[in-house]
Amino acid sequence: MALVIAGERSGVGKTTVTLTLLASLRRRDRQVQSFKVGPDYIDPMFHQHVTGRACRNLDPVLTSQAYVQQCFARHSQLSEYALVEGVMGLFDGVSSLDISHLSFAKDKGQRTNDKGQITDFASTAHIARLLDLPVVLVIDCSRLSGSVAAIAHGYRSFDPRIKIAGVVLNRVGSDRHLSLLKDSLEPLQLPILGVMRRQDNITIPDRHLGLVPTAELPELNALIDRLADLGDTCFDWQRLLALLKSEPLSFSTSSCLSPSFPVRIAVARDRAFNFYYQDNLDLLQQLGAELVFWSPLEDAAIPQDIQGLYFGGGFPEVFAQQLSENTSVRDAVKMAILKGMPTVAECGGLMYLCEQIIDFEGKSWPMAGVLPTSAVMGGRLTLGYRRAVALQDNLLVKANTTVYGHEFHRSHLTLTPTQPLFKTSRYDCEENMGCEGWGLPANVHASYVHLHWGESREIPQQFLKECLKVASSGTWI
């Protein structure tokens, strides 16, 4: 048993409800493992800040259905309670016919359209079915009263395989408002597991790619304390604790990896670069790598005695001036890469390797200058899952290998690579999204496509093989 927090649509307060539950549980000294449906990086940062445990992403597009089950089974058993935050609305997913990647079972009874495509794949509902978990539905009540019953009834009856354990009524305005909501829901005999009033003093700031990450919020602990205060009084804890209790699951787990790559990888992690899947970092360590975390913003030099560089995504555009002014690090990164240092750079990391970043105000900030192009911030959002086919052998994958990733950025490059890494298409159809990714120098993998390595362990293995060559050649930077 564990619990899924789902919304009737995006923006109803799933993250606030989830953080309130987590904060109140931690105040009670309860050990809780959290999970997040989908490819999101920022919500898991908030989970981890509250629980002290790395949040795990459950995404069958980036991994597989089997991996989702294994990941949940492995990590939920390590805590007393487990909580899964959903994505978008309960039934909002993608459609797909890619049987080989997604390993569909014939008897799963997936919802399909007239083309045979699965229509709610990777949705919160899909994850709840995969893990056989009950769902708490968060409803934004700010602009409704009696209609709440129609919404709750519709969600409960739409897919009988989904077990709606109850509802949380969010943004309730007054006692009279609450009375109308309760009267409307009473005939459904659907438990009200929480009532959250409108909270003007509890807001999490956001910007162009979602919530502002935890490292940039100095008042975050005070906010979490207010959420814990709220959680102590707004939930039906007698019912919720029984639902949240984590029990051992029977899903088979993946075999352990044998450490075989004794190398040191410098992982950029600060306010500018913080988009990493914890599973990716775990895999590198399980394969024998030592991870050395450092800051291109604050440090005066890159770490010593390393054989690889890893730049995740993040917000380099927000800190472009500070990154640019740290010239010693920019020069050291460029020199290391030109000397042959194996380097993985995703999205924000790619931008840092460009000649410059041009911010939203049109100001230009010099970057590492490894890639002969500039990253320009703009209003257009590039968002979605990608199917990417490698056009050539590169640092991470061989030619013609298909990988599945996710893009989420508001920048574009002024020049496209002459020998791109990937030909990309939308995940749920054959729409061509063009070619992208930089693999020159050959020791670089720089791409806008974020990858989760959970079902593609050959990717970190290949990366560390190249790093081991640096170690064995005696090249220590």
Side-chain angles (χ1 to χ4, degrees), residues 26-271:
R26 289 299 296 133
R27 175 175 282 181
R28 298 161 183 243
D29 291 326
R30 307 296 180 122
Q31 295 297 316
V32 56
Q33 175 64 54
S34 70
F35 301 85
K36 172 65 181 178
V37 179
D40 186 88
Y41 288 104
I42 299 178
D43 286 356
M45 294 181 196
F46 283 85
H47 289 205
Q48 181 170 351
H49 184 88
V50 176
T51 67
R53 293 173 176 265
C55 175
R56 306 287 169 164
N57 291 77
L58 303 177
D59 193 318
V61 174
L62 299 184
T63 58
S64 72
Q65 294 183 111
Y67 186 86
V68 166
Q69 293 174 325
Q70 293 163 4
C71 179
F72 181 81
R74 181 166 60 252
H75 295 289
S76 64
Q77 294 178 81
L78 302 177
S79 290
E80 186 180 4
Y81 297 97
L83 185 64
V84 180
E85 180 185 350
V87 62
M88 301 176 66
L90 176 58
F91 298 101
D92 296 330
V94 297
S95 59
S96 178
L97 284 172
D98 194 339
I99 306 300
S100 61
H101 171 58
L102 302 172
S103 60
F104 298 141
K106 294 180 180 178
D107 60 349
K108 289 296 183 183
Q110 303 276 10
R111 290 183 176 276
T112 61
N113 60 18
D114 56 5
K115 297 179 181 179
Q117 291 178 313
I118 291 173
T119 55
D120 70 347
F121 195 85
S123 67
T124 305
H126 179 207
I127 300 303
R129 294 196 304 265
L130 271 180
L131 303 179
D132 193 24
L133 298 180
V135 172
V136 169
L137 184 68
V138 179
I139 301 177
D140 179 0
C141 302
S142 60
R143 292 178 176 85
L144 55 85
S145 57
S147 299
V148 70
I151 294 172
H153 174 68
Y155 275 81
R156 183 169 66 173
S157 60
F158 183 72
D159 185 345
R161 296 167 298 165
I162 301 299
K163 299 175 291 188
I164 304 292
V167 296
V168 169
L169 306 180
N170 194 25
R171 298 168 185 154
V172 176
S174 65
D175 290 343
R176 174 58 178 161
H177 187 199
L178 178 59
S179 178
L180 292 172
L181 296 168
K182 285 182 174 180
D183 289 346
S184 180
L185 288 168
E186 186 175 4
L188 299 182
Q189 296 184 326
L190 186 63
I192 298 173
L193 299 176
V195 175
M196 295 179 65
R197 302 297 182 111
R198 292 173 184 165
Q199 302 292 327
D200 295 332
N201 67 332
I202 298 179
T203 57
I204 303 175
D206 58 8
R207 59 176 174 229
H208 56 280
L209 291 182
L211 297 179
V212 175
T214 54
E216 299 178 51
L217 299 175
E219 303 298 322
L220 181 57
N221 287 334
L223 171 64
I224 298 303
D225 284 341
R226 291 198 295 273
L227 289 175
D229 291 340
L230 177 63
D232 289 345
T233 59
C234 74
F235 294 124
D236 184 341
W237 283 106
Q238 185 174 357
R239 283 174 165 167
L240 280 172
L241 286 178
L243 292 170
L244 287 162
K245 188 74 175 178
S246 180
E247 299 291 343
L249 300 177
S250 59
F251 299 125
S252 61
T253 56
S254 302
S255 57
C256 295
L257 299 176
S258 300
S260 55
F261 301 97
V263 296
R264 284 165 49 91
I265 307 298
V267 181
R269 189 163 69 178
D270 56 20
R271 290 169 297 154

